[in-house]
Every structure is written in structure tokens, then in C-alpha cells.
């Protein structure tokens, strides 16, 4: 049974690096992992996407180990405005009906 | 450029009624996907349409249906509403292809309350 799980919440302080993990069992070789950020009363916003090793863009990095059963979103030097819910998304086996968002992680950044 | 737009913003219905939600994708985007997000949970995939054809369907009952028009806008229809259908309904557009393999741009959602 495909399942995508995340820690419910995390706390951090401004300026720290934050790492949020996502566990995705039954992931296949070519399944992509995507991360989204969501603020209250808004739709999710794309952060980063990858399917192996490491991907980096201007706002985050995504680390995917060799077994691909988990992935880690890394946010460098968070600020108060990064307080939001973060979701990972996996399409298992390339089947759209197995497009599964994770349970979501509420990141609370304190001054 | 305008982002993804959805209408209405909020909607209140009673059990057994029917509802139609509308979505306009970003100009040039041919893929539209619909999601249901219950309060406190992650979005759940309902449908994807690409080039006016259904390309994917999540585990939702037949009371849920959708279509995509020649201008790539889309409608989500829900019949025989249940209390459990109360949720935020999100629409997302993408340039192409299978939802989940491309960056999706989400609209602000329609908040549906079923009494």
C-alpha cells in the first residue's frame, strides 16, 4: 500500500537550517518527489522536484538517498515567513490515481 | 499574467444538492487537476485533464465528475452532496503531461460547506 508520511510538526528559529523528511514506501525507480509549501487559505506553491541524489534551486535543496524510500527537504536559513505547512508529493508507479500527498509538516519559525 | 483562478470563493450547500466549481488555468497551460483538501489534511487527487481528455482519476465516487473545455478551463461537479464533501477544492494547472511530474500551479481554492 503506497503511503507518504511526514512528521506532523517542527520548530525552528530564524537563521537556522531546517530539514523535513518524507517517507515514501513502494516508490519506483522513475517516480518523482515534489515538495510544496502551503499557507493558510491559499493553494500549495511548488518548491522543488527531483527523483535521485540531490537537487538544488534558489530556495531549497532536495536530498534523495540511494534506496529512495525517503527524501529530505532542506531550507537554508529560515525566516519567519517560512512558517507554513510543507507537503511532499509522490506519483507511485507513474499512475495518476496513485498521486499521493504526504501528511504535511507544520513548520513554525520563531524569532 | 493572471494565475489560476477559481470560482466561487466560498459556497454553502445542503445535503443532497449538486454543486459546480470552476477553474481557469494559467494561459498556455493545457493540464488541469482537481484536489480535495479536508481541514488539517493534505490534498487528495480527484481528476486530471489534459488536452480535454481525462488522464487520471483518484479514488472518489461517481458522484464526482469533471470536464475540460476547448479553452482549457474546467468544471468539477459533485452530485448528491454529503456532509463529508465539505472541504477546500483546489484546482492546479501545468504546462503538460502527467500531474505530479511537472510543476503544478494551484489556485486559491473554493471552500465548500455542506450543511
Amino acid at each position: 500500500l503506497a503511503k507518504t508520511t511526514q512528521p506532523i510538526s517542527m520548530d525552528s528559529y530564524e537563521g537556522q537550517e531546517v530539514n523535513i523528511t518524507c517517507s515514501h514506501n513502494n516508490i519506483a525507480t522513475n517516480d518523482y518527489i515534489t515538495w510544496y509549501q502551503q499557507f493558510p487559505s491559499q493553494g500549495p506553491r511548488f518548491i522543488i522536484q527531483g527523483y535521485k541524489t540531490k537537487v538544488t534551486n534558489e530556495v531549497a535543496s532536495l536530498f534523495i538517498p540511494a534506496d529512495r524510500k525517503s527524501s529530505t527537504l532542506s531550507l537554508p536559513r529560515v525566516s519567519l515567513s517560512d512558517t507554513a505547512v510543507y507537503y511532499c508529493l509522490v506519483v507511485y508507479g507513474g499512475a495518476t490515481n496513485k498521486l499521493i500527498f504526504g501528511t504535511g509538516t507544520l513548520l513554525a519559525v520563531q524569532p | 499574467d493572471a494565475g489560476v483562478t477559481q470560482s466561487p470563493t466560498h459556497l454553502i450547500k445542503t445535503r443532497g444538492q449538486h454543486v459546480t466549481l470552476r477553474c481557469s488555468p494559467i494561459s498556455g497551460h493545457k493540464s488541469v487537476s482537481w484536489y480535495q483538501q479536508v481541514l488539517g489534511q493534505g490534498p487528495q487527487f480527484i481528476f486530471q485533464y489534459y488536452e480535454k481528455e481525462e488522464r487520471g482519476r483518484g479514488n472518489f465516487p461517481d458522484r464526482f465528475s469533471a470536464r475540460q473545455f476547448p479553452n482549457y478551463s474546467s468544471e468539477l461537479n459533485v452530485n448528491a452532496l454529503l456532509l463529508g464533501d465539505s472541504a477546500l477544492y483546489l484546482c492546479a494547472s501545468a504546462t503538460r503531461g502527467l500531474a505530479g511530474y511537472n510543476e503544478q500551479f494551484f489556485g486559491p481554492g473554493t471552500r465548500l460547506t455542506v450543511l
Side-chain angles (χ1 to χ4, degrees), chain A residues 1-7 20-27 33 35 63 65 67-73 87-90 92 100-105:
Chain A
L1 179 65
K3 202 171 180 182
T4 310
T5 57
Q6 304 174 229
I20 305 174
T21 59
C22 176
S23 296
H24 25 76
N25 61 343
N26 297 327
I27 192 169
I33 300 139
W35 284 83
F63 297 93
D67 67 5
R68 304 183 75 248
K69 293 184 182 298
S70 66
S71 59
T72 300
L73 172 71
Y87 292 100
C88 60
L89 167 65
V90 179
Y92 289 89
I100 298 177
F101 272 89
T103 48
T105 298

Side-chain angles (χ1 to χ4, degrees), chain B residues 3-86:
Chain B
V4 176
T5 59
Q6 294 186 241
S7 62
T9 307
H10 297 84
L11 201 53
I12 299 175
K13 292 285 189 178
T14 57
R15 282 178 296 177
Q17 285 189 312
H18 160 270
V19 69
T20 297
L21 309 181
R22 296 177 175 83
C23 172
S24 292
I26 292 172
S27 177
H29 286 193
K30 299 181 178 180
S31 171
V32 171
S33 299
W34 287 94
Y35 298 83
Q36 180 195 66
Q37 187 173 27
V38 174
L39 194 63
Q41 298 183 18
Q44 288 196 55
F45 173 72
I46 309 175
F47 287 110
Q48 188 212 358
Y49 278 77
Y50 178 65
E51 286 284 17
K52 291 154 282 183
E53 291 187 5
E54 182 183 305
R55 297 299 182 96
R57 173 186 288 252
N59 295 323
F60 279 80
D62 291 343
R63 298 185 296 109
F64 289 77
S65 63
R67 55 180 176 167
Q68 186 176 34
F69 298 99
N71 66 353
Y72 302 107
S73 66
S74 179
E75 282 183 355
L76 175 70
N77 295 282
V78 186
N79 293 322
L81 285 167
L82 303 174
L83 295 179
D85 295 331
S86 295

